[in-house]
Amino acid sequence: MPKTMFEKIWEAHEVRENLLYIDLHLVHEVTSPQAFEGLRMTGRKLRRPDKTVATADHNVPTDGTPAAAMIKDALSRKQVETLEQNAADFGVPVYSLGSETQGIVHVIGPELGLTQPGMTIVCGDSHTSTHGAFGALAFGIGTSEVEHVMATQTLVQNKPKTMRINYHGKLGEGVTSKDLILATIGKLSTSGMTGYVVEYAGEAIENLTMEQRMTVCNMTIEGGGKAGMIAPDETTFEYMRGKPGVPEDFEAAVGRWKKLPTDEGATFDSEINIDATRISPMVTWGTTPGMVIQVTDTVPDPEKMDSPADKEAAERALQYMGLEAGTPMEEIRPERVFIGSCTNSRISDLREAAGAIKGRKVADSVRAMVVPGSALVKAQAEDEGLDEIFREAGFEWRGAGCSMCLGMNPDILIEGERCASTSNRNFEGRQGKGGRTHLVSPTMATAAAIEGHFVDIRNWS
Amino acid sequence: MESISTIEGEVAVLDRSDVDTDQIIPKQFLKRVERTGYGEFLFYDWVRDGEIELEPHPILVSGRNFGSGSSREHAVWALHQFGFQAVIAPSFSDIFYSNSTKNGFLPVVLDDEDCQKIVEAGQAKIDLESQTVSWDGGEASFEIDSEIKRRLLGGLDDIALTLQSEDEIEAFEAGPGGTYGPVTTSL
C-alpha cells in the first residue's frame, strides 16, 4: 500500500503502538532545567547522551559576552550555568556561550549535520518543526516530555493526522519562502493545521534551497501544525554532504533517504492547493501570524469582518499595534529592524539581506540589527565580508542567539516601538512589553530599514 | 501527578481567542529553573495593565486556539498554580493540550455555544469518568483519548509506565532502528 513520508518514518520508529523512538533530542537552557531536576529526584539516568545535544540560545546576550559566568543578568546567568552543569552531570555534549558551535538550537542541528532525513527529532521548543525541511519528523514538546525523552529515549504519542499542501507554479521575483509560509498561515488561520503533520510539496517547494525550506517548516507551528515536512532530494543531500555529523558512508545513506518521499497514490487526511504564482511579499498587521496581508494592501477594517470573534480580535490588535484601518502598509514606519531568529538567521538569509543594501544607508529614524543564528554563521558571514556591508550601512552586527525574537535577553523593544522583524511571532509583548512586531522576509526588513517604511520589494530599485 | 475525577465550582472567563502562551506566562518568568512559583505571574502584562481580572476559580473558560505559540510548559504550571484545575475552550494548540495532561490539568474541548452557556451559568461540574460537563440547565459531553483519560484518572506517571516497557525499548535499540541518526558525543 502506498505510504506517506510521515507514515514511513512513524512506522520505523514505533517501539510499540503509540510509543515512538526518538533519534535526536535537542536541549536548550529554558525548558530543560526542571527535566534534569526530575531525573535527579527520581534517581533516573539520561538514557542516551549520545542522541542528545545541548546549546544555550534563548538567554544569551548578543553583545560578545564570551562565557556564561560573565552574563550580567543574574537569572539568565544562572539558567545558562545550570545547563552547563546539567550537561556535565549527565554526559550530554553542550555548545554553550563561547563555543565555536554555539547558536540557536534549530540552526546548529542542521549545520552540524545532526539533522538528517528519516529521523525523529524533538526539542522543548515549538520551532523544532524547522528540522522537517530535511524529511525528518520533528516537533516541539513540553518539559514533562523532555524529561520523558531523557529517561526513556521515547515519547508516548497518538498518531497525528496528515495534510499535504501543494504549491502550484513558481514564486514570483522578490517573493521568498517567508512570504509563502506567511501567506499560507493567512489563508488557513493560526489553527488551520492543528492536529496535523503537514507535508509541503509542489514546484515552488522543490525550487527552494534547504535554508528556505527550513523557513517554511519553521513556521508550521504558527499555523498550529504539529510538524512540517519536505521530501528530501538532491538539494537536501548536497546541503548535507561534508557536514560533521552525517553518516560515514554518505552514499549508502542517500540510497536509504531516497526511499522516504511519499509514494504515488498515498492518501492524506487533508489536501490543500495553493497557487504559488499569486503569492506576494507579505507583512503582518496584527498580533497573530494569521493577521497578515500583502505589502500592497491596506490595514484591514474590523467592521468588514464576518465573525464577531474576528472583529473583536482585529479591533484589539489594531489598538495594540497603534494602527488605523485603511492605512496603506507601505506607509507604516518601523523604528526598529531585526534580522535574525530560527526562522531567518542562516547564511543565505544574511546574504540576501546584505545583497539588497547596494551601498545604501539605514534611515536616520531606524535602529537596525543583524543577529546571526549561530557562531558558525557569524564566522562564515565575516569571512564573506557581510558584516562590513551591514556595518557600513548602519546595521548593528551582533553575536549569535535568539536575540530579539523573544526578548529573554537584553535585545528587546521598548513600549510602543514598532519593529520590522524576520522572526516568527508578532504576539503582544513578544519582543518586549508594548512592542509592535511586523513579520517580514529578510529582504523586506532590509528595505524597511533603508527607506524607513515598508516597501514592495518587487518595485524597489 | 495528582489524579482527577471531578472538577466543580465557579468559572472564570477570559473571553478572547488565540490566547498564546506568551500572554499566559511572559518570557521574563521563564528564567527560573524551578517548577513552582509561577501562579502569581499568570497573564502578568494583561493583569498589570488592568485589561483583565481573574479569580482563581476551579474552571477557566476561554476562546478558540487556547495556548497557541511557544511550547513552554510554564504556561500550564502558571494556570494550575494560580488555582485553575481545568480550562474549557472550543480548541487548543496541540502542545499546550499535551502539556496540560502531563500535569493533572484538564483541557476540555466544547463548542462555542456550550462555552457560552457555561459562562452564563457561572458554574459547572466536569466529570472526567463520564466525559461530561454539566451546568445549571444543561449538559454536554466531551472527547478525550482513552489512554490520556486513564492516566489522568489514576494520576499515573508517564515515565514510570514507559519504563515498564524497558525490554521493548532495548529490543528496538538492538535492531536497525537503534542505529539511526548521528552520534552526538562523537562530534
Side-chain angles (χ1 to χ4, degrees), chain A residues 8 11 22 32 95 107 150 154 173 177 231 291 357 452 461:
Chain A
K8 293 179 195 182
E11 286 170 11
I22 302 302
S32 66
Y95 306 121
V107 175
M150 286 175 171
T154 66
E173 188 69 29
S177 61
M291 293 174 169
I357 293 173
S461 52

Side-chain angles (χ1 to χ4, degrees), chain A residues 12-16 19 21 23-24 30 33-34 44 47-52 59 73 75-76 78-79 93 95 114 116-119 124-126 140-145 147-148 151-152 154 156 158 190-191 194-195 224 226 244-245 257 310 312 316 406-408 425 427-430 433, chain B residues 15-18 20-23 27-28 30-35 38 45-46 48-49 51 64-65 68-74 77 91-95 98-99 102-103 145 147-148 151 157-163 165-166 168-170 172-173 177-185 187:
Chain A
H13 289 85
E14 272 183 319
V15 173
R16 56 172 162 73
L19 189 66
Y21 196 76
D23 296 322
L24 179 64
V30 179
Q34 296 86 355
R44 289 170 180 146
R47 185 181 177 92
R48 296 297 296 264
D50 57 331
K51 292 181 182 292
T52 313
N59 270 282
D73 181 288
L75 286 172
S76 291
K78 182 175 179 194
Q79 209 168 49
Y95 306 121
L114 299 173
Q116 298 169 15
M119 289 172 61
D125 191 282
S126 62
I141 56 178
T143 297
S144 293
E145 291 184 314
E147 186 178 337
H148 192 282
T152 70
T154 66
V156 179
N158 285 329
T190 48
S191 56
T194 301
K226 184 174 180 74
W257 296 336
D310 285 345
E312 201 181 306
R316 278 181 36 75
L406 86 168
M408 275 194 79
R425 288 190 176 133
F427 296 153
E428 287 182 31
R430 171 80 178 181
K433 187 181 180 315
Chain B
D15 186 16
R16 292 183 181 188
S17 56
D18 292 301
D20 60 76
T21 55
D22 272 83
Q23 306 314 321
K27 62 220 170 269
Q28 62 268 36
L30 307 190
K31 294 182 181 182
R32 303 162 51 84
V33 295
E34 299 83 19
R35 255 178 193 268
Y38 296 94
D45 289 339
W46 284 353
R48 194 175 53 163
D49 291 347
E51 278 199 46
R64 68 177 184 217
N65 200 26
S68 56
S70 158
S71 62
R72 59 187 71 168
E73 196 161 313
H74 313 66
W77 301 335
S91 63
F92 293 91
S93 86
D94 290 338
I95 303 177
S98 170
N99 285 344
K102 310 289 181 194
N103 285 276
D145 173 77
E147 181 59 21
I148 291 174
R151 290 176 187 221
D157 172 6
D158 268 358
I159 297 176
L161 282 178
T162 299
L163 286 174
S165 305
E166 174 67 29
E168 286 171 277
I169 300 172
E170 273 181 20
F172 183 91
E173 288 180 325
T179 60
Y180 220 87
V183 180
T184 59
T185 42
L187 281 196

Side-chain angles (χ1 to χ4, degrees), chain A residues 21-207:
Chain A
Y21 196 76
I22 302 302
D23 296 322
L24 179 64
H25 187 192
L26 303 163
V27 173
H28 67 82
E29 78 276 19
V30 179
T31 56
S32 66
Q34 296 86 355
F36 280 115
E37 194 53 28
L39 293 184
R40 276 198 193 91
M41 282 164 58
T42 47
R44 289 170 180 146
K45 286 189 309 185
L46 191 147
R47 185 181 177 92
R48 296 297 296 264
D50 57 331
K51 292 181 182 292
T52 313
V53 67
T55 189
D57 55 7
H58 285 61
N59 270 282
V60 301
T62 60
D63 59 1
T65 301
M70 296 171 79
I71 297 175
K72 290 192 193 79
D73 181 288
L75 286 172
S76 291
R77 182 171 66 243
K78 182 175 179 194
Q79 209 168 49
V80 179
E81 287 182 331
T82 301
L83 178 78
E84 292 178 356
Q85 188 61 51
N86 282 334
D89 290 351
F90 289 90
V92 172
V94 59
Y95 306 121
S96 192
L97 195 56
S99 160
E100 280 173 13
T101 44
Q102 175 265 338
I104 304 176
V105 65
H106 310 308
V107 175
I108 69 165
E111 79 184 359
L112 294 174
L114 299 173
T115 301
Q116 298 169 15
M119 289 172 61
T120 48
I121 302 174
V122 296
C123 173
D125 191 282
S126 62
H127 290 109
T128 309
S129 56
T130 310
H131 307 266
F134 290 79
L137 176 61
F139 53 92
I141 56 178
T143 297
S144 293
E145 291 184 314
V146 167
E147 186 178 337
H148 192 282
V149 176
M150 286 175 171
T152 70
Q153 204 58 32
T154 66
L155 266 182
V156 179
Q157 288 284 302
N158 285 329
K159 202 170 182 175
K161 293 180 287 186
T162 55
M163 174 186 289
R164 179 162 61 187
I165 307 181
N166 305 293
Y167 295 88
H168 302 281
K170 295 185 170 72
L171 290 174
E173 188 69 29
V175 182
T176 67
S177 61
K178 181 66 164 284
D179 303 305
L180 178 145
I181 188 64
L182 283 171
T184 304
I185 296 162
K187 183 182 164 77
L188 301 181
S189 92
T190 48
S191 56
M193 305 179 193
T194 301
Y196 290 95
V197 167
V198 180
E199 181 173 339
Y200 300 96
E203 186 182 2
I205 297 294
E206 289 161 18
N207 288 343

